């Protein structure tokens, strides 16, 4: 089944404790992206990647890191989480080409709480 | 930079009634336009998209949307709403740069749809 998977689905942590949220897709998509969703703000892009070893900042990259060492994986790293990073996080992927990077397939989401 | 506005935070309709969700965008040219739906506890699913051509586009689940360049709008419609349509709906735009969006997708704030029986 074609899908984007994220782990963990739920995470409660404390301020300053490094964490990684994994994202994997099995559709051979070149493009992958991370979004955070907050009430009243919609989805805001954190980072995106057009291909292996090619990443770029979205609208709200502060406090986050990403890497793209393999085509299928795009982990999101919070080196020192803070309470304002409490949010619902979505990973998404897409083929490039016509309209590329825009027809997104979303993962199920990771709800992160930073105490 | 492009931006998207969904003026209605929350809309309530009766089952069987028609629906229109509004979306306005700000961008210097014609962008790629999308509507996504998010059911409770789920990720987002693409309803429909507009890239070029016919300004009335059909999507899944009986939804359609009309692109109006003069109004910078891309409103979502459904003639008869079902209880299962209750969800949050997001309009999104992406830069149309000669066939690629360069990975830049901007979402509106979302509209929550409640359906009364």
């Amino acid at each position: 089944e074609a899908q984007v998977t994220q782990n963990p689905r739920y995470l409660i942590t404390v301020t300053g404790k490094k964490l990684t949220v994994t994202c994997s897709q099995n559709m051979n998509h070149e493009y992958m992206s991370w979004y955070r969703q907050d009430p009243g703000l919609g989805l805001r892009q954190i980072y995106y990647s057009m291909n292996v070893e090619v990443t770029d900042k979205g609208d709200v990259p502060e406090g986050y890191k990403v890497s793209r060492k393999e085509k299928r994986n795009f982990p999101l790293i919070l080196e020192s989480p803070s309470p304002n990073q409490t949010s619902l996080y979505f990973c998404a992927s897409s083929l490039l080409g016509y309209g590329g990077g825009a027809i997104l397939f979303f993962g199920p989401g990771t709800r992160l709480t930073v105490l | 930079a492009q931006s998207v506005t969904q003026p209605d935070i929350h809309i309530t309709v009766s089952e069987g009634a028609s629906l229109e969700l509004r979306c306005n965008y700000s961008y210097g040219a014609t962008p790629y336009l999308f509507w996504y739906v998010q059911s409770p506890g789920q990720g987002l699913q693409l309803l429909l998209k507009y890239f070029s051509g016919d300004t009335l586009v059909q999507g899944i689940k009986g939804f359609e949307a009309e692109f109006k360049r003069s109004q910078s709008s891309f409103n979502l419609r459904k003639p008869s709403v079902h209880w299962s349509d209750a969800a949050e709906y997001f309009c999104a735009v992406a830069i149309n740069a000669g066939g690629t969006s360069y990975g830049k997708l901007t979402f509106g704030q979302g509209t929550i749809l409640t359906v009364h029986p």
Side-chain angles (χ1 to χ4, degrees):
Chain A
E1 179 189 356
Q3 60 183 346
V4 179
T5 57
Q6 295 178 227
N7 282 292
R9 293 289 313 278
Y10 302 90
L11 179 60
I12 300 175
T13 189
V14 296
T15 299
K17 186 176 181 181
K18 182 180 178 180
L19 67 91
T20 299
V21 184
T22 64
C23 172
S24 183
Q25 50 92 6
N26 62 1
M27 296 170 280
N28 202 34
H29 286 170
E30 298 96 341
Y31 175 85
M32 298 185 75
S33 182
W34 277 102
Y35 289 85
R36 61 177 289 174
Q37 183 180 15
D38 302 288
L41 296 177
L43 279 81
R44 293 178 292 167
Q45 191 177 49
I46 304 171
Y47 270 95
Y48 65 94
S49 170
M50 302 289 272
N51 216 324
V52 175
E53 303 291 3
V54 180
T55 63
D56 206 349
K57 296 177 181 178
D59 295 317
V60 289
E62 294 77 20
Y64 304 95
K65 285 176 56 178
V66 293
S67 69
R68 187 92 182 271
K69 293 182 169 46
E70 303 168 284
K71 196 172 187 178
R72 63 183 294 124
N73 296 324
F74 191 46
L76 179 69
I77 303 157
L78 284 72
E79 294 269 4
S80 182
S82 63
N84 64 12
Q85 293 179 296
T86 292
S87 187
L88 179 59
Y89 291 86
F90 287 101
C91 180
S93 71
S94 175
L95 286 171
L96 291 177
Y98 185 59
I103 305 173
L104 296 173
F105 291 82
F106 281 83
T110 294
R111 185 166 293 282
L112 171 65
T113 301
V114 183
L115 302 174
Chain B
Q2 68 267 34
S3 66
V4 182
T5 301
Q6 294 179 244
D8 304 305
I9 296 172
H10 196 166
I11 283 183
T12 300
V13 300
S14 298
E15 192 168 17
S18 63
L19 172 70
E20 182 169 32
L21 302 183
R22 296 182 291 165
C23 173
N24 294 96
Y25 67 88
S26 173
Y27 180 57
T30 299
Y32 296 137
L33 296 160
F34 307 84
W35 276 98
Y36 283 85
V37 60
Q38 183 181 28
S39 299
Q42 303 294 315
L44 279 75
Q45 181 184 20
L46 179 67
L47 277 177
L48 48 77
K49 64 186 185 295
Y50 173 80
F51 284 177
S52 65
D54 192 346
T55 57
L56 184 64
V57 294
Q58 303 297 321
I60 62 171
K61 305 185 180 187
F63 285 92
E64 66 178 26
E66 186 172 13
F67 167 57
K68 293 186 177 180
R69 186 190 312 272
S70 61
Q71 299 176 19
S72 296
S73 69
F74 189 56
N75 293 348
L76 182 71
R77 301 194 294 248
K78 186 169 185 179
S80 178
V81 172
H82 188 262
W83 64 266
S84 60
D85 293 325
E88 189 164 14
Y89 291 80
F90 292 92
C91 181
V93 301
I95 296 170
N96 179 350
T100 181
S101 69
Y102 293 107
K104 187 61 179 171
L105 198 67
T106 301
F107 285 82
Q109 303 94 321
T111 298
I112 297 171
L113 174 66
T114 298
V115 181
H116 281 321

Coordinates of all heavy atoms in Angstrom, one line a residue, chain A residues 26-54:
Chain A
N26 N 6.9 5.1 0.7 CA 7.2 4.0 -0.2 C 6.8 4.2 -1.6 O 6.5 3.2 -2.4 CB 6.6 2.7 0.4 CG 5.1 2.8 0.4 OD1 4.5 3.8 0.0 ND2 4.5 1.7 1.0
M27 N 6.7 5.5 -2.0 CA 6.2 5.8 -3.4 C 7.3 6.3 -4.3 O 7.0 6.8 -5.4 CB 5.1 6.8 -3.2 CG 3.8 6.3 -2.5 SD 2.6 7.5 -2.1 CE 3.4 8.2 -0.6
N28 N 8.5 6.3 -3.9 CA 9.6 6.7 -4.7 C 9.5 8.2 -5.0 O 9.9 8.7 -6.1 CB 9.8 5.9 -5.9 CG 11.2 6.0 -6.5 OD1 12.2 6.1 -5.7 ND2 11.3 6.0 -7.8
H29 N 8.9 9.0 -4.1 CA 8.7 10.4 -4.3 C 10.0 11.2 -4.1 O 10.7 10.9 -3.1 CB 7.6 11.0 -3.4 CG 6.3 10.6 -3.8 ND1 5.2 10.8 -3.0 CD2 5.8 10.0 -4.9 CE1 4.1 10.4 -3.6 NE2 4.4 9.9 -4.7
E30 N 10.3 12.1 -5.0 CA 11.5 12.9 -4.9 C 11.3 14.0 -3.7 O 12.2 14.3 -3.0 CB 11.8 13.7 -6.2 CG 12.1 12.8 -7.3 CD 10.9 12.6 -8.2 OE1 9.8 12.9 -7.8 OE2 11.1 12.2 -9.4
Y31 N 10.1 14.5 -3.7 CA 9.8 15.7 -2.8 C 9.2 15.2 -1.5 O 8.3 14.4 -1.4 CB 8.8 16.6 -3.5 CG 8.4 17.8 -2.7 CD1 9.1 18.9 -2.6 CD2 7.2 17.7 -2.0 CE1 8.7 20.0 -1.8 CE2 6.8 18.8 -1.2 CZ 7.5 19.9 -1.2 OH 7.1 21.0 -0.4
M32 N 9.8 15.8 -0.4 CA 9.2 15.5 0.9 C 9.2 16.8 1.7 O 10.1 17.7 1.5 CB 10.0 14.4 1.7 CG 10.0 13.1 1.0 SD 10.8 11.7 1.9 CE 9.5 11.4 3.2
S33 N 8.3 16.9 2.7 CA 8.2 18.2 3.4 C 7.6 17.9 4.8 O 6.9 16.9 5.0 CB 7.2 19.1 2.6 OG 7.1 20.3 3.3
W34 N 7.9 18.8 5.7 CA 7.4 18.8 7.0 C 6.5 20.1 7.3 O 6.9 21.2 6.9 CB 8.4 18.7 8.1 CG 9.0 17.4 8.4 CD1 10.1 16.8 7.9 CD2 8.3 16.4 9.2 NE1 10.3 15.5 8.4 CE2 9.2 15.2 9.1 CE3 7.1 16.3 9.9 CZ2 8.9 14.1 9.8 CZ3 6.8 15.2 10.6 CH2 7.7 14.0 10.5
Y35 N 5.3 19.8 7.9 CA 4.5 20.9 8.2 C 4.1 20.8 9.7 O 4.1 19.7 10.3 CB 3.1 20.9 7.4 CG 3.3 21.2 6.0 CD1 3.7 20.3 5.1 CD2 3.0 22.5 5.5 CE1 3.8 20.6 3.7 CE2 3.2 22.8 4.2 CZ 3.6 21.9 3.3 OH 3.7 22.2 2.0
R36 N 3.8 21.9 10.3 CA 3.2 21.9 11.6 C 1.8 22.6 11.5 O 1.6 23.5 10.7 CB 4.1 22.6 12.7 CG 4.3 24.1 12.5 CD 5.1 24.7 13.6 NE 4.3 24.8 14.8 CZ 4.8 25.2 16.0 NH1 6.1 25.4 16.2 NH2 4.0 25.3 17.1
Q37 N 0.9 22.0 12.3 CA -0.5 22.5 12.3 C -0.9 23.0 13.6 O -0.8 22.3 14.6 CB -1.5 21.4 11.8 CG -2.9 21.9 11.7 CD -3.9 20.8 11.3 OE1 -3.6 19.7 11.3 NE2 -5.1 21.2 10.9
D38 N -1.3 24.3 13.7 CA -1.7 24.9 14.9 C -3.0 25.5 14.7 O -3.3 26.1 13.6 CB -0.7 26.0 15.4 CG 0.7 25.4 15.5 OD1 0.9 24.6 16.5 OD2 1.6 25.6 14.7
P39 N -3.9 25.5 15.7 CA -5.3 26.0 15.6 C -5.3 27.5 15.1 O -4.6 28.3 15.6 CB -5.8 25.9 17.0 CG -5.1 24.8 17.6 CD -3.7 24.9 17.1
G40 N -6.1 27.7 14.1 CA -6.2 29.1 13.5 C -5.1 29.5 12.6 O -5.2 30.6 12.0
L41 N -4.1 28.7 12.5 CA -2.9 29.1 11.7 C -2.8 28.2 10.4 O -1.9 28.4 9.6 CB -1.6 29.0 12.5 CG -1.5 30.0 13.6 CD1 -0.2 29.8 14.4 CD2 -1.7 31.4 13.1
G42 N -3.6 27.1 10.4 CA -3.5 26.2 9.2 C -2.2 25.4 9.3 O -1.6 25.2 10.4
L43 N -1.7 25.0 8.2 CA -0.4 24.3 8.1 C 0.7 25.2 7.7 O 0.5 26.0 6.7 CB -0.5 23.1 7.1 CG -1.2 21.9 7.6 CD1 -2.7 22.0 7.6 CD2 -0.7 20.7 6.8
R44 N 1.8 25.2 8.4 CA 3.0 26.0 8.0 C 4.1 25.1 7.7 O 4.4 24.2 8.5 CB 3.3 27.0 9.1 CG 2.2 28.0 9.3 CD 2.5 29.0 10.5 NE 2.5 28.2 11.7 CZ 3.0 28.7 12.9 NH1 3.5 29.9 12.9 NH2 2.9 28.0 14.0
Q45 N 4.8 25.4 6.6 CA 5.9 24.5 6.2 C 7.2 24.8 7.0 O 7.6 25.9 7.2 CB 6.2 24.8 4.7 CG 7.1 23.8 4.1 CD 7.3 24.0 2.6 OE1 7.6 25.1 2.2 NE2 7.2 23.0 1.8
I46 N 7.8 23.7 7.5 CA 9.0 23.8 8.3 C 10.2 23.7 7.4 O 11.1 24.6 7.3 CB 9.0 22.7 9.4 CG1 7.8 22.8 10.2 CG2 10.3 22.9 10.2 CD1 7.6 21.7 11.2
Y47 N 10.4 22.6 6.7 CA 11.4 22.3 5.8 C 10.9 21.5 4.7 O 9.9 20.8 4.8 CB 12.6 21.5 6.5 CG 13.7 22.4 7.1 CD1 13.6 22.7 8.5 CD2 14.7 22.8 6.4 CE1 14.6 23.4 9.1 CE2 15.7 23.6 7.0 CZ 15.6 23.9 8.3 OH 16.6 24.6 8.9
Y48 N 11.6 21.5 3.6 CA 11.3 20.6 2.5 C 12.5 20.1 1.8 O 13.6 20.7 1.9 CB 10.3 21.3 1.5 CG 10.8 22.4 0.7 CD1 11.4 22.3 -0.5 CD2 10.7 23.7 1.2 CE1 11.8 23.4 -1.3 CE2 11.2 24.8 0.5 CZ 11.7 24.7 -0.7 OH 12.2 25.7 -1.4
S49 N 12.4 19.1 1.0 CA 13.5 18.5 0.3 C 13.0 18.1 -1.1 O 12.0 17.4 -1.3 CB 14.0 17.2 1.0 OG 14.9 16.5 0.2
M50 N 13.8 18.6 -2.1 CA 13.5 18.3 -3.5 C 14.1 17.0 -3.9 O 13.7 16.4 -5.0 CB 13.9 19.4 -4.4 CG 13.3 20.8 -4.0 SD 11.6 20.9 -4.4 CE 11.7 21.4 -6.1
N51 N 15.1 16.5 -3.2 CA 15.7 15.2 -3.5 C 16.8 14.9 -2.5 O 17.0 15.7 -1.5 CB 16.3 15.2 -4.9 CG 16.2 13.9 -5.6 OD1 16.3 12.8 -5.0 ND2 16.0 13.9 -6.9
V52 N 17.4 13.8 -2.6 CA 18.4 13.3 -1.6 C 19.5 14.4 -1.5 O 19.9 15.0 -2.5 CB 19.1 12.0 -2.1 CG1 20.2 11.6 -1.1 CG2 18.0 10.9 -2.1
E53 N 19.8 14.8 -0.3 CA 20.8 15.8 0.0 C 20.5 17.2 -0.4 O 21.3 18.1 -0.4 CB 22.2 15.4 -0.6 CG 22.7 14.0 -0.2 CD 23.2 14.0 1.3 OE1 23.0 14.9 2.0 OE2 23.6 12.9 1.7
V54 N 19.2 17.4 -0.8 CA 18.7 18.7 -1.1 C 17.6 19.1 -0.2 O 16.5 18.6 -0.3 CB 18.3 18.8 -2.6 CG1 17.8 20.2 -3.0 CG2 19.4 18.3 -3.6

